[in-house]
Amino acid sequence: MTDDPTVTSAKAGDPDAWHALYVAHAGRLLLWLRARQPVDSAVTADDVASETWLVAARRVHQFHGTSEEFAGWLFGIGRKVAANQLRRGALRATASLEGREDAGPGDVPVDPQDAVSGLDWVRSELGRLPRRERDVLACTEVIGLDVAATAQALGMTSVAVRVSRHRALKRLRSRLDPPTEPEPPPSAVPSARYIPGPS
């Protein structure tokens, strides 16, 4: 796989190339990390994003591809960084629900800066999905990654991404359009018989 000029320059340490990659992917990365809900309240999505970019800068020589394909690789690093942060957080036992008294295990925090702010129903329903399906939809529908980049970001096969996306969308559609109640049968009103009058 051949690197495009931006990736080649970034590998060479060109700050303009890094800036271009950052502008293209930083916002989507942060939005996705926020949707993944770090359990440890001491670790924010911004912390994970910052460490993700540092790791990417150290390992960029391992990446080969275009600027757009860089997203899947970057998100994969973000997923691993977040997992490491959660493991460290569990050891510190600092997880808390401060500021989220009513939050449940599947709730997605609302941030007014998110591109999907105001879509309370969508957030609620996404939060009810299994984690894998929620992550796939966050990548494909919210962030706009293609199937290949999503597979790389989440450490899944392309087939698994397609299956998870199909199942998640099916679940959401079923909640959006619940089965309608069957109409009651017409009441049994005796039909009026024609009785001829006197001729």
Side-chain angles (χ1 to χ4, degrees):
M1 188 178 295
T2 305
D3 299 338
D4 68 12
T6 301
V7 171
T8 300
S9 297
K11 287 182 174 182
D14 181 356
D16 291 335
W18 272 107
H19 182 261
L21 291 174
Y22 185 85
V23 168
H25 305 299
R28 298 193 297 169
L29 174 66
L30 189 56
L31 178 62
W32 181 66
L33 290 171
R34 285 175 179 162
R36 286 178 62 84
Q37 302 176 256
V39 173
D40 183 3
S41 62
V43 179
T44 68
D46 297 73
D47 295 331
V48 176
S50 296
E51 186 171 342
T52 298
W53 281 103
L54 289 174
V55 173
R58 289 197 302 268
R59 299 183 181 171
V60 69
H61 64 279
Q62 298 174 0
F63 171 74
H64 298 286
T66 66
S67 302
E68 188 57 35
E69 292 166 336
F70 182 83
W73 181 75
L74 180 71
F75 279 45
I77 292 174
R79 175 176 54 85
K80 292 173 184 173
V81 168
N84 289 337
Q85 293 277 20
L86 291 180
R87 279 193 287 272
R88 289 197 289 267
L91 292 175
R92 290 194 303 267
T94 58
S96 74
L97 292 178
E98 182 178 355
R100 298 182 61 202
E101 293 84 356
D102 300 327
D107 292 339
V108 179
V110 176
D111 186 324
Q113 296 180 354
D114 286 351
V116 292
S117 64
L119 301 179
D120 294 335
W121 180 88
V122 173
R123 288 180 176 277
S124 173
E125 293 303 319
L126 285 177
R128 293 170 57 191
L129 292 175
R131 180 61 178 266
R132 172 180 280 205
E133 293 177 12
R134 186 170 71 236
D135 283 350
V136 167
L137 282 192
C139 285
T140 59
E141 310 306 314
V142 178
I143 307 302
L145 297 182
D146 61 19
V147 170
T150 299
Q152 184 174 15
L154 300 179
M156 300 167 61
T157 66
S158 295
V159 171
V161 168
R162 290 189 183 95
V163 169
S164 293
R165 179 178 179 272
H166 173 76
R167 288 178 177 167
L169 291 176
K170 185 176 179 181
R171 288 183 210 271
L172 292 180
R173 277 193 293 268
S174 69
R175 293 169 189 167
L176 181 62
D177 298 315
T180 57
E181 292 290 330
E183 292 186 10
S187 58
V189 177
S191 57
R193 293 172 53 192
Y194 173 71
I195 302 175
S199 53

